[in-house]
Amino acid sequence: MKVEKVDRRVKYTKYMLKEALVALIREQHISTISVKALCEKADINRSTFYVHYSDPYDLLNQIKNEVLANVMLYLKEQDQDPTGSNFQLTTILEYAKKNSELFETLFSENCDYVFQDDILELSQIISSQYNMDMDETAKKYLKEFGTSGCISVFERWLQDGAKESPEYISEFLKKALQGGIMCFKNPE
Amino acid sequence: MKVEKVDRRVKYTKYMLKEALVALIREQHISTISVKALCEKADINRSTFYVHYSDPYDLLNQIKNEVLANVMLYLKEQDQDPTGSNFQLTTILEYAKKNSELFETLFSENCDYVFQDDILELSQIISSQYNMDMDETAKKYLKEFGTSGCISVFERWLQDGAKESPEYISEFLKKALQGGIMCFKNPE
DNA sequence: TTGTAATCCAACATTATGTCTATTATAATG
DNA sequence: CATTATAATAGACATAATGTTGGATTACAA
C-alpha cells in the first residue's frame, strides 16, 4: 500500500466541500443542490470543485465510501471480521450512535437513498446468518421483508435521536427477523 | 358534486403530458427530466405545460393522486370500505396486478419515492388491524418494521412481474406481520 | 356562426453548467 | 531561505434550461 502524500490545500478544499454538502443536505434534497450554492457555502471556487468532483452526487458518493470505510475500520478495531457472517450487529449500531447526527443526515430522504443500497448488502449478510429452510419464493420475499424492515427501523432509530441502546435495537431486529422466519419454516 | 366539463383540448394536453412523463420515468430519474424534453416527447408547447403544472414533480403528484383515487374507486366497486380497517388487502394487490406495468414504474426508484409515502398510510391501516399489546417502544419499531417490509415486498413483487397471485402475497404479508408480532406480545 | 379560451410561437432576461486560461497563493523540497 | 511545483482563484465563455410574456392562431362549446 503506497502512502500518497496529499497536499494540505487539497485536504482543506475537500474538507470544506464535504462539510458544506452535509450541511446543505440537512436542509434540502441533494438533487436541488447546485454546484454554485455548494461552493459559496464552502467558500471554494467553483472551478476548483470541478477539479475534484463531477457533481454533488459524486461528492456524496465519496463521502459515503469514506463513512463505510470508517465503519469497517471500527469493526476491525473491535476485532470483528466484516466479511464474516457472525460479527455483532451491535457494533455497527454502536458506531452509528456515536455519529448519529451525521448518520441521520446521510440516511435521510434528502440523500436520495444513496446509503441505503450499501446497507442493504450488510443486511443481507445478517439475514444469511439465519437458517431459512423454506420454499424459494417465500425465502425471496422474506429476505426482502426482513432487510427493508431492518433498514427502516435503523433509520427510525436515528431519526428519533438514537435513544435506545445499540443492544436493544440489535436484539429487537434479531427477534423480529426470527419471528418472521419461524412462521414460514418447513418442519425439520 | 358539480360536474365541471373539461375542454377536450385540456384533456388532450394533460393526457399527452402524463403519458410522456411516465414513459420518461421508465428510463430516467424524475429529477433529471427537463420540462423541455418532456414537452418535446409529448409534442406539447412548453408554455402550455406551465399553464397546468409548475414542474415535472407537480405533474407526477397529480398522476399519483389520480392513481390513488382509482384504487379507492376500485375498492368501492368491490363493496369495500377504504376507510374501514377490515378491507381486503388482496383487492388492492389485485388492482396493482391489473395495472402492474404502471405500478412498477411509479414505485421504481426513478419516481423519487413519491408513491411510497401514501402507501405507508395504507400500510398503517393494515397494521392497525392487529392487536399489538406490548410496550410502546417495541410497538413503534415493530410498526416501522412491518410497514416498510410490506411495501418492499409489494415493490419486489411488481418488479419481478407480479407473478404470484394477489392472494399469495396477501397471505404472505399477513403471516410475516403476525410472526413479528407474536414475538413481542405480552402474555395475556 | 360567433365569442371564448386554449394552444402555439417567438422572444426575453435569468440562472446554472462545464470548460479554459492567465494569475496568484501556497506547499514541498533542497 | 530560495526555488520549484502545483493547487486555487478570478474571470470569461458558450451552452442550455428555466419561467414568463404578448400576440397570433386555432379549436371548442353553445
Side-chain angles (χ1 to χ4, degrees), chain A residues 7 9-10 13 45 47-48 52:
Chain A
D7 195 308
R9 288 170 293 184
V10 176
T13 298
N45 195 279
S47 338
T48 309
H52 300 290

Side-chain angles (χ1 to χ4, degrees), chain B residues 12-119:
Chain B
Y12 175 81
T13 298
K14 292 191 168 181
Y15 177 79
M16 295 302 274
L17 286 171
K18 279 172 203 159
E19 290 291 310
L21 185 62
V22 172
L24 285 176
I25 285 176
R26 275 191 231 282
E27 290 158 13
Q28 48 178 306
H29 193 272
I30 172 81
S31 68
T32 71
I33 296 172
S34 70
V35 176
K36 190 173 184 282
L38 174 60
C39 290
E40 269 165 13
K41 181 128 198 162
D43 196 24
I44 295 293
N45 195 277
R46 204 162 57 84
S47 356
T48 310
F49 174 88
Y50 287 108
V51 172
H52 300 292
Y53 311 101
S54 60
D55 54 50
Y57 276 94
D58 184 26
L59 171 53
L60 180 58
N61 268 310
Q62 299 206 22
I63 292 175
K64 183 187 77 175
N65 292 336
E66 276 177 35
V67 169
L68 292 179
N70 287 336
V71 171
M72 292 306 170
L73 209 66
Y74 185 76
L75 279 169
K76 273 182 199 151
E77 278 172 11
Q78 312 294 315
D79 268 333
Q80 297 184 4
D81 177 12
T83 60
S85 62
N86 51 0
F87 65 94
Q88 290 297 312
L89 173 58
T90 316
T91 312
I92 293 177
L93 296 172
E94 214 175 275
Y95 186 80
K97 183 159 184 164
K98 278 185 186 167
N99 304 77
S100 60
E101 256 192 61
L102 177 65
F103 270 69
E104 190 197 331
T105 309
L106 298 180
F107 276 93
S108 77
E109 225 180 297
N110 285 353
C111 266
D112 209 1
Y113 301 85
V114 165
F115 277 74
Q116 274 73 352
D117 291 343
D118 286 72
I119 285 291

Side-chain angles (χ1 to χ4, degrees), chain A residues 27-185:
Chain A
E27 290 158 12
Q28 47 178 306
H29 193 273
I30 172 81
S31 67
T32 70
I33 296 173
S34 69
V35 176
K36 189 174 185 285
L38 175 58
C39 290
E40 268 165 16
K41 182 128 196 160
D43 195 25
I44 294 293
N45 195 279
R46 203 163 57 83
S47 338
T48 309
F49 174 88
Y50 286 108
V51 172
H52 300 290
Y53 312 101
S54 61
D55 54 49
Y57 276 95
D58 183 26
L59 172 53
L60 180 58
N61 268 310
Q62 299 206 21
I63 293 175
K64 183 188 75 176
N65 292 335
E66 276 179 35
V67 170
L68 292 180
N70 287 336
V71 171
M72 292 307 171
L73 209 66
Y74 186 76
L75 279 170
K76 273 182 198 150
E77 278 172 12
Q78 311 295 315
D79 268 334
Q80 297 186 2
D81 177 11
T83 59
S85 63
N86 50 358
F87 65 94
Q88 290 298 311
L89 173 58
T90 316
T91 313
I92 294 178
L93 295 172
E94 215 174 274
Y95 186 81
K97 182 161 183 162
K98 279 183 186 168
N99 305 77
S100 60
E101 256 191 62
L102 177 64
F103 270 69
E104 190 198 330
T105 309
L106 298 180
F107 277 92
S108 76
E109 222 180 300
N110 285 352
C111 267
D112 209 2
Y113 301 85
V114 165
F115 276 75
Q116 274 74 353
D117 290 342
D118 286 71
I119 285 290
L120 210 75
E121 284 177 36
L122 264 181
S123 298
Q124 271 154 6
I125 295 177
I126 295 167
S127 74
S128 69
Q129 294 180 38
Y130 295 96
N131 158 30
M132 288 171 46
D133 175 29
M134 57 190 78
D135 85 280
E136 285 305 314
T137 309
K139 196 192 278 182
K140 177 177 91 172
Y141 287 123
L142 199 54
K143 273 191 178 173
E144 194 73 43
F145 190 89
T147 52
S148 81
C150 285
I151 293 172
S152 194
V153 167
F154 175 62
E155 285 170 15
R156 183 61 185 272
W157 177 59
L158 290 170
Q159 243 176 56
D160 289 3
K163 294 205 188 78
E164 293 83 10
S165 71
E167 288 79 15
Y168 176 89
I169 300 296
S170 172
E171 274 313 302
F172 174 90
L173 292 179
K174 274 181 197 163
K175 245 170 122 179
L177 284 171
Q178 279 290 6
I181 290 168
M182 295 312 287
C183 292
F184 291 95
K185 234 179 192 170

